[in-house]
Amino acid sequence: MNAQPPIIRLENVHKAFGRVVVLRGVTLDIPRGLTTVVIGPSGSGKSVLLKHMVGLIAPDRGRVLFEGQDITAMAERDLVPIRRRVGFLFQGSALFDSMSVEENICFPLAEASPPVPRAEQTQRCRRALSIVGLDNVQGKFPEALSGGQKKRVALARAIVLEPEVILYDEPTTGLDPVRSDLINELILKLQRELHTTAVVVTHDMASARKVGDRIVMLNGGRIIADAPPDQLERVEDETVQRFVQGRASEDELRELHGGDLNSQKTNGGSGT
């Protein structure tokens, strides 16, 4: 899909937390300048995979490369320059309640070494807010914002360092369809205007299809699909098709209805 070397590469990555095995030998290239969407059921390892890409989690086995540089066992201080090149939109936005919008957005700039001058922080904050379509909210606190506004403020914080890569962890979770579509449009806008590489973890198939150049599906800690959005329906895997279509399995339905699936199919349309 992309002739350039991948900006991020995971090689045979394994990860477990105690007895819970999350990733089972995942190998994945993240192509530069495109949006890779990672889908999969809850607990399939999507967020864990995302955190490996920026060194927030280290694999038990395998390697993670950023522009060919092995960051797997890199010390925290050595990871700092790499993390400055990556924006991370955390699930739930992760804004500091005790800080204003401007203070939240400027936090990465203030923590930089050396810190960005205050006047430049203010300027970059305004630019980031303008990009995500928010104005005159700098003095507000998170409690005064709607869910969609919080997501956009968190996104402004993610881009204030002008990153090359943006990682989105469930960016539309908790939002209504209209606000979700606004976030999708912002993801597309950032890729178009800032020429970023993006990785989006989501359960939202409408979002996945809209923003993704490519969709990867994780299940049981392994990649079971990797295709452009318009070819995902052609993947010959029942688990993939059920997820894409939002369809429960017969076993799940049988368990739900106490094993009497045929009776439920017969009586399901009768109503009360």
Side-chain angles (χ1 to χ4, degrees):
M1 185 180 291
N2 193 325
Q4 299 182 67
I7 191 166
I8 299 172
R9 176 173 172 79
L10 288 82
E11 294 181 351
N12 193 34
V13 169
H14 293 255
K15 187 64 184 180
F17 298 96
R19 296 183 178 180
V20 180
V21 179
V22 181
L23 299 177
R24 304 171 186 266
V26 172
T27 294
L28 178 65
D29 287 345
I30 303 301
R32 192 182 306 270
L34 300 178
T35 297
T36 299
V37 175
V38 182
I39 62 172
S42 298
S44 59
K46 302 184 302 297
S47 294
V48 171
L49 183 75
L50 202 65
K51 291 173 182 176
H52 275 84
M53 295 181 188
V54 71
L56 292 174
I57 294 177
D60 297 330
R61 282 189 286 152
R63 300 196 304 164
V64 180
L65 308 175
F66 191 98
E67 285 205 321
Q69 184 177 9
D70 190 346
I71 68 169
T72 309
M74 196 174 282
E76 282 291 314
R77 65 178 181 276
D78 297 324
L79 281 168
V80 170
I82 290 171
R83 288 177 178 163
R84 285 181 188 155
R85 300 168 63 185
V86 181
F88 202 127
L89 180 65
F90 291 93
Q91 188 174 353
S93 302
L95 299 176
F96 299 108
D97 292 336
S98 60
M99 293 184 179
S100 68
V101 166
E102 182 167 347
E103 289 169 333
N104 266 284
I105 293 172
C106 291
F107 184 77
L109 302 175
E111 292 295 304
S113 181
V116 175
R118 184 64 189 147
E120 184 179 345
Q121 288 185 33
T122 299
Q123 181 181 18
R124 289 172 69 168
C125 172
R126 288 176 179 167
R127 179 174 181 269
L129 283 172
S130 176
I131 289 173
V132 301
L134 289 176
D135 294 307
N136 302 317
V137 298
Q138 290 92 322
K140 292 185 178 182
F141 285 79
E143 64 181 10
L145 304 175
S146 68
Q149 287 174 324
K150 288 178 182 177
K151 291 276 188 181
R152 286 192 277 168
V153 169
L155 191 47
R157 182 177 61 187
I159 66 174
V160 76
L161 285 173
E162 301 175 351
E164 300 166 50
V165 180
I166 304 179
L167 308 179
Y168 301 86
D169 193 0
E170 300 285 4
T172 61
T173 294
L175 300 180
D176 64 55
V178 174
R179 296 295 176 264
S180 294
D181 194 53
L182 181 60
I183 296 299
N184 294 335
E185 290 291 341
L186 278 171
I187 293 171
L188 292 169
K189 179 182 179 181
L190 291 175
Q191 186 190 31
R192 183 173 62 249
E193 295 185 3
L194 303 182
H195 309 291
T196 56
T197 298
V199 184
V200 181
V201 160
T202 187
H203 290 97
D204 184 343
M205 285 308 304
S207 177
R209 289 189 177 97
K210 182 163 187 172
V211 305
D213 295 299
R214 162 207 194 190
I215 298 178
V216 173
M217 182 167 175
L218 269 180
N219 190 52
R222 294 186 174 92
I223 293 174
I224 62 170
D226 186 347
D230 62 354
Q231 295 182 25
L232 199 59
E233 280 77 7
R234 301 179 188 175
V235 176
E236 295 181 359
D237 184 291
E238 177 65 16
T239 301
V240 174
Q241 293 310 315
R242 283 195 291 103
F243 188 89
V244 169
Q245 297 166 16
R247 175 168 49 87
S249 70
E250 297 242 332
D251 287 343
E252 290 166 330
L253 291 173
R254 191 172 289 109
E255 182 179 352
L256 177 66
H257 297 296
D260 194 3
L261 185 57
N262 289 330
S263 174
Q264 173 61 25
K265 288 180 178 178
T266 301
N267 300 324
S270 60
T272 56

